[in-house]
Amino acid sequence: MNIPLVATKPARPGKVRGPRVKNKKAIAVFILPFAILFVLFYLTPILYAVYESMLVIQRDGTFGEAKEVFGGFAQYVQVFQNGPFWASIGRVLLFGIVQVPVMLGLALLFALLLDSPVLRGKRFFRLAFFVPYAVPGVIAAIMWGFLYSPNLSPFSAVTKNIDFLSADLVLWSMANVVTWVYVGYNMLIIYSSLLSISPDIYEAARLDGAGQIRMAFSIKIPLVMPAIVLTAIFSVIGTLQLLAEPQVFRTFSSAVSSTFTPNLAVYSTSAIPNVNLAAAFSVILALATFVLSFSILKFTQRKDA
Amino acid sequence: MSAVTTTSAPKQRRSKAPSPSGPKEKTLSRVGAITVMSVFTLYFLVPIWWLFVAASKDRSQFTNTNPLWFADFNLIQNIGELLAYRDGVFLKWMLNSAIYAGLGALLGTLFAGMCGYALAKYRFPGRDAIFNIVLGGVLVPATALALPLFLIFSQVNLTNTFWSVFLPSLVSPFGVYLTRIFAAESVPDELIEAARLDGSGEVRTFFTVSVKLMFPALVTVFLFQFVAIWNNFFLPLIMLRDEVLFPVTLGLYSWNSQVNQIPELRAYVLVGALLSIIPLIILFLLLQRFWRNGLGAGAVK
């Protein structure tokens, strides 16, 4: 809570070790606006969610007034016994294991092609691939919902034979929507990282007789690894947070349940309302996201060392 | 390593020099590259093309004319109908989105920029602690905060207000991270020192000198934040009940979920979807010089 205070607290006379902090006032002016908002809208909600998740509703008799009392980890026991929630986690993990590598693989391929001397018309392709990123997730989902619907789709010859909104396929239809929106964005991150590689390195490789493909695998890909890691982390966060696509697809397909993804489960549980259980879901979900992205970071850093 | 191949003679100084492979292979890979990129161009653009065509059609022509080509071009008329529908609520939504995202991103960038700058340019106790906490914040997804935020806002009776969506959007931990890295590299201490000697206060120095040097990073943060707020769905979905406060994403979503009861909404959803894409495209085109340089900035460590 007192992060901004720590930053601006005058050092006590007896405890001063280093030189006194200069420009205290200016530092406070610079840091406080962000710090206050961060505490209010980032730290407090996290702490509040943890607090709420520790409470349970108790009633005096069947019709008695509802009271929130401390229940320890009672909600978490419920979370662990909640089959649909774990099914939704399993579903987004399966989604992520397939979709994230496909998307990043494509993004890397496009970035390498944009960076290679063989391709012409780079400006056009760069822009064309990036356009879907301007489409908000909800709008993209609505659009593709139409494209998948057998009677509305412009590709009805396909959609009348393959039901993209069926229970078997709907998860992958969503994967396609997410891929469609984000490939170009990830491509640009990797591409701009490729552009920052010094031409001298290519020169040296060429003198050693390396071809384009060899250069891609031995020089370019290793050097853009940090960018790929960054896109991977954001993609994993995005996968665990899937909400707009399944929420929209519920109107197109009965195969999407109200607990299809973890965020959807949070939303429908809070609407029941069981805010305590929903808060516990949120906490678990935030933890899972944090652990996953942190492990990607650590895992790849260790590989570099 | 040892032998220098024959083709790598002095002619190949330029970075565009042909690869050591023969010309035939080169044409082959050129054709391959163009084919791959063209196929995917179709994948990316056909849905948007379809949306454009569909939005230009009369309701009766929507299902019984070629879905990928125009019938009577009614786009202007359709837009007129959409804007008139229910006292122009769609325009209100677009305006809401513009305010949430435009003002939110502007203030968010300013606050993140000031904080990142202070973390980069001043030494004070707790500096690293703050940075590490903010860095942790980058990994916490905004949707995980939506429900607890709703609970807090309902305690203070602020749900279903403009502020419940606007205020949380002002926080950009990623912006602090990016501006701190950028300020450390691009704002020389000597320049701040010189401004001090000239009698400029710290805050004035920031706004007159440092902001200019940090401009590319600030534009990048603005764009990131703008897109994040413009696309945000969970927070408004959970916070807002009152239709006039909706951003355009939530508004179109609510129409789309009523299509079964009110079939005429389908046409409005399509035209609205098309219009909702335009502002971001314009913004990207206007600022592309900046985002192209800035996008990779987060990856450079």
Side-chain angles (χ1 to χ4, degrees):
Chain A
M1 285 296 177
N2 52 8
I3 291 143
L5 296 180
V6 172
T8 54
K9 196 163 47 179
R12 284 202 203 119
K15 283 190 176 176
V16 183
R17 261 181 237 151
R20 277 178 60 88
V21 178
K22 283 186 275 180
N23 303 312
K24 263 177 285 184
K25 231 186 223 163
I27 295 172
V29 170
F30 287 138
I31 294 206
L32 277 179
F34 179 83
I36 291 171
L37 289 167
F38 186 79
V39 169
L40 281 178
F41 302 120
Y42 258 79
L43 294 186
T44 316
I46 294 170
L47 295 176
Y48 193 75
V50 173
Y51 165 75
E52 275 289 328
S53 69
M54 297 285 193
L55 301 177
V56 288
I57 304 277
Q58 218 167 50
R59 287 172 196 280
D60 309 327
T62 322
F63 300 104
E65 204 179 318
K67 254 192 328 190
E68 284 189 323
V69 296
F70 185 75
F73 288 97
Q75 298 296 352
Y76 290 93
V77 174
Q78 276 207 48
V79 171
F80 281 100
Q81 290 165 347
N82 193 306
F85 180 71
W86 291 103
S88 75
I89 295 241
R91 201 172 286 123
V92 290
L93 285 180
L94 176 66
F95 179 104
I97 289 169
V98 177
Q99 189 265 338
V100 174
V102 168
M103 174 175 68
L104 295 185
L106 284 175
L108 178 63
L109 171 71
F110 300 150
L112 286 171
L113 285 176
L114 279 182
D115 192 55
S116 82
V118 295
L119 190 74
R120 294 275 164 83
K122 291 176 186 186
R123 277 177 69 93
F124 169 77
F125 289 122
R126 201 173 51 200
L127 206 64
F129 285 31
F130 187 64
V131 164
Y133 183 64
V135 184
V138 181
I139 309 295
I142 291 176
M143 236 170 77
W144 279 94
F146 280 103
L147 294 177
Y148 290 139
S149 300
N151 45 348
L152 301 168
S153 173
F155 310 106
S156 47
V158 180
T159 51
K160 280 199 171 118
N161 292 311
I162 306 169
D163 185 1
F164 286 103
L165 298 168
S166 66
D168 292 337
L169 282 181
V170 75
L171 185 67
W172 308 114
S173 303
M174 285 178 205
N176 174 54
V177 179
V178 176
T179 308
W180 182 79
V181 172
Y182 288 104
V183 162
Y185 167 76
N186 290 313
M187 169 194 83
L188 275 179
I189 292 185
I190 299 171
Y191 178 59
S192 61
S193 168
L194 277 172
L195 287 183
S196 66
I197 298 174
S198 157
D200 297 348
I201 300 179
Y202 298 140
E203 187 72 6
R206 212 172 284 121
L207 289 173
D208 282 343
Q212 286 299 325
I213 292 176
R214 180 69 204 277
M215 271 200 244
F217 279 97
S218 309
I219 300 173
K220 295 184 179 183
I221 294 179
L223 282 177
V224 296
M225 243 2 229
I228 298 176
V229 170
L230 185 85
T231 54
I233 290 176
F234 284 138
S235 307
V236 165
I237 293 179
T239 301
L240 280 170
Q241 302 305 315
L242 270 182
L243 175 86
E245 292 80 5
Q247 178 83 357
V248 168
F249 273 37
R250 294 196 69 195
T251 57
F252 290 101
S253 164
S254 55
V256 183
S257 67
S258 67
T259 56
F260 197 75
T261 67
N263 254 336
L264 214 54
V266 170
Y267 178 62
S268 36
T269 309
S270 71
I272 294 176
N274 187 345
V275 291
N276 305 103
L277 184 60
F281 285 159
S282 289
V283 172
I284 297 276
L285 195 55
L287 263 172
T289 315
F290 200 86
V291 168
L292 260 177
S293 1
F294 202 72
S295 349
I296 294 181
L297 205 64
K298 282 289 152 212
F299 176 71
T300 46
Q301 273 172 358
R302 197 180 330 150
K303 245 165 103 181
D304 289 346
Chain B
M1 285 285 173
S2 49
V4 175
T5 42
T6 45
T7 42
S8 59
K11 264 190 179 173
Q12 298 210 356
R13 279 280 148 76
R14 299 271 162 75
S15 59
K16 278 196 174 173
S19 55
S21 42
K24 208 175 200 176
E25 200 177 322
K26 218 184 104 204
T27 334
L28 207 68
S29 57
R30 179 158 285 168
V31 170
I34 282 283
T35 312
V36 169
M37 295 304 260
S38 306
V39 167
F40 276 96
T41 302
L42 288 180
Y43 168 66
F44 289 117
L45 293 187
V46 165
I48 292 176
W49 172 252
W50 167 81
L51 181 67
F52 180 58
V53 170
S56 76
K57 279 183 184 169
D58 194 72
R59 210 163 298 156
S60 61
Q61 291 172 328
F62 179 65
T63 41
N64 56 25
T65 56
N66 181 354
L68 290 177
W69 197 250
F70 301 103
D72 299 337
F73 194 80
N74 279 328
L75 182 61
I76 307 295
Q77 193 186 327
N78 288 347
I79 291 176
E81 272 178 43
L82 166 72
L83 296 185
Y85 185 70
R86 299 245 298 269
D87 300 325
V89 72
F90 179 78
L91 205 61
K92 178 79 185 136
W93 293 340
M94 288 290 269
L95 211 65
N96 288 344
S97 276
I99 296 172
Y100 288 130
L103 200 61
L106 204 65
L107 287 174
T109 305
L110 176 70
F111 297 154
M114 293 196 304
C115 186
Y117 175 76
L119 291 177
K121 288 292 153 192
Y122 296 96
R123 318 198 124 268
F124 52 91
R127 182 173 80 147
D128 292 332
I130 294 181
F131 186 64
N132 286 329
I133 291 171
V134 172
L135 209 55
V138 174
L139 297 184
V140 177
T143 48
L145 300 171
L147 176 71
L149 273 172
F150 171 76
L151 298 176
I152 292 173
F153 275 112
S154 55
Q155 297 275 328
V156 290
N157 284 325
L158 271 176
T159 52
N160 197 24
T161 61
F162 168 81
W163 303 107
S164 64
V165 173
F166 182 73
L167 288 177
S169 322
L170 295 177
V171 192
S172 167
F174 182 71
V176 174
Y177 166 73
L178 199 66
T179 50
R180 180 201 150 135
I181 290 175
F182 199 84
E185 280 170 10
S186 67
V187 184
D189 289 332
E190 294 80 13
L191 209 65
I192 301 176
E193 206 52 55
R196 271 182 202 137
L197 289 176
D198 285 345
S200 167
E202 300 298 317
V203 177
R204 208 181 100 190
T205 307
F206 172 76
F207 281 101
T208 53
V209 179
S210 311
V211 158
K212 279 178 199 136
L213 295 170
M214 291 166 68
F215 199 67
L218 293 175
V219 175
T220 307
V221 173
F222 174 82
L223 270 170
F224 266 100
Q225 198 62 2
F226 190 95
V227 174
I229 305 173
W230 187 273
N231 291 351
N232 196 353
F233 178 62
F234 201 11
L235 191 66
L237 174 73
I238 216 165
M239 289 287 183
L240 303 177
R241 291 283 163 271
D242 196 350
E243 204 179 65
V244 294
L245 293 171
F246 283 5
V248 68
T249 45
L250 186 56
L252 287 177
Y253 164 77
S254 72
W255 276 358
N256 189 57
S257 40
Q258 299 166 41
V259 160
N260 287 333
Q261 294 92 320
I262 317 171
E264 78 228 43
L265 281 178
R266 178 179 297 143
Y268 295 138
V269 168
L270 286 169
V271 181
L274 181 69
L275 293 185
S276 75
I277 298 171
I278 294 169
L280 270 195
I281 291 191
I282 293 177
L283 195 69
F284 282 136
L285 287 178
L286 282 179
L287 298 176
Q288 65 168 316
R289 182 157 72 93
F290 296 104
W291 58 253
R292 225 185 289 144
N293 298 333
L295 269 178
V300 182
K301 273 224 268 192

